[in-house]
Amino acid sequence: MKKFFVLLAAISFAIGLTACSAEKEAEPEKTKSEEASKPAVNPKSAMYKFYMSIVNTINEADADLNAYEGAEEPTPEDKTAASESAAAVASKVEGLEVPAELKDQKSDLEAALKDLAESYKIKSEELKKDAPSLEASDEKFAQAEEKIGAAFESVEMKKPSLAKEL
C-alpha cells in the first residue's frame, strides 16, 4: 500500500512539473505581444537624445571658435581658425535631422536647427571682418534656444540651456 502511495505521489509530482513548465513557456509569448502594443519610444527620452546629438555635433567642431572666444588677446590666425570652425558647425547642424519620434515637435526643432545654423554662419562671416560684431549671431542663437525650449516644454520637460552646454 505504501508503494502505491509513493508511486501515486511521484506521478502527481511529474504531472505538476510538466504543467508548470508548459505555463512558463507560454508566458514569453504574452510578454512579446504586450511589448509590441506599448509605444516604441518615450518622447522625453527621444527629446533628450536629440538635444544631446545637437550638443555633441556642435562640440565636435567648435574647438577653435571656443579658443578664440576664450582668448584674452586672440591672434589673426585664431580668428581665421574660429571663422572656419563656425562654418563647420553650421554645416554639421544643417545635416541634423529630427527623429520621427518627435513628429509633434518637428516644426519647432527644425526651425531651431535652421536658426542655430544661421547663427554660426553669421558668426563665421563676422569673424572674417576686421572688427567683428557678434550681436546678430547671438540673437539668432537665442531664438534657436527659445524654440528648443518650447519643444522641451511641449513634452513637459524643463528648458535646457544650450549656451551652457557648449
Side-chain angles (χ1 to χ4, degrees):
M1 187 75 152
K2 286 183 182 180
K3 291 181 183 178
F4 176 71
F5 284 124
V6 171
L7 182 60
L8 186 62
I11 292 173
S12 298
F13 185 68
I15 292 172
L17 282 177
T18 306
C20 288
S21 67
E23 286 178 19
K24 287 184 181 178
E25 289 176 9
E27 280 183 37
E29 292 175 21
K30 282 185 183 178
T31 307
K32 288 179 184 175
S33 65
E34 287 173 4
E35 287 176 7
S37 66
K38 289 182 184 178
V41 177
N42 177 353
K44 289 181 181 181
S45 174
M47 180 67 74
Y48 181 74
K49 286 179 183 176
F50 178 64
Y51 174 73
M52 289 311 298
S53 74
I54 295 171
V55 171
N56 292 335
T57 299
I58 293 171
N59 282 335
E60 287 173 1
D62 73 346
D64 290 333
L65 179 61
N66 289 339
Y68 170 81
E69 290 176 339
E72 288 182 28
E73 294 184 34
T75 65
E77 292 82 20
D78 292 339
K79 193 171 158 183
T80 302
S83 175
E84 292 169 2
S85 178
V89 169
S91 175
K92 287 187 174 221
V93 168
E94 287 175 331
L96 289 173
E97 290 188 28
V98 178
E101 296 90 2
L102 299 172
K103 65 180 181 222
D104 295 338
Q105 296 80 21
K106 187 173 183 167
S107 62
D108 280 340
L109 293 172
E110 284 179 342
L113 290 175
K114 183 178 177 186
D115 286 348
L116 200 54
E118 184 65 26
S119 167
Y120 280 97
K121 284 180 185 177
I122 293 169
K123 195 173 279 194
S124 175
E125 291 303 314
E126 282 296 317
L127 288 169
K128 292 176 183 175
K129 297 178 182 177
D130 290 334
S133 172
L134 303 178
E135 291 175 11
S137 171
D138 293 342
E139 285 180 28
K140 269 297 187 195
F141 188 89
Q143 289 173 0
E145 205 167 26
E146 275 300 311
K147 290 173 183 167
I148 291 171
F152 264 72
E153 287 179 337
S154 73
V155 292
E156 299 173 357
M157 292 177 73
K158 187 177 177 182
K159 285 183 179 183
S161 175
L162 189 59
K164 288 182 182 177
E165 298 283 341
L166 305 175

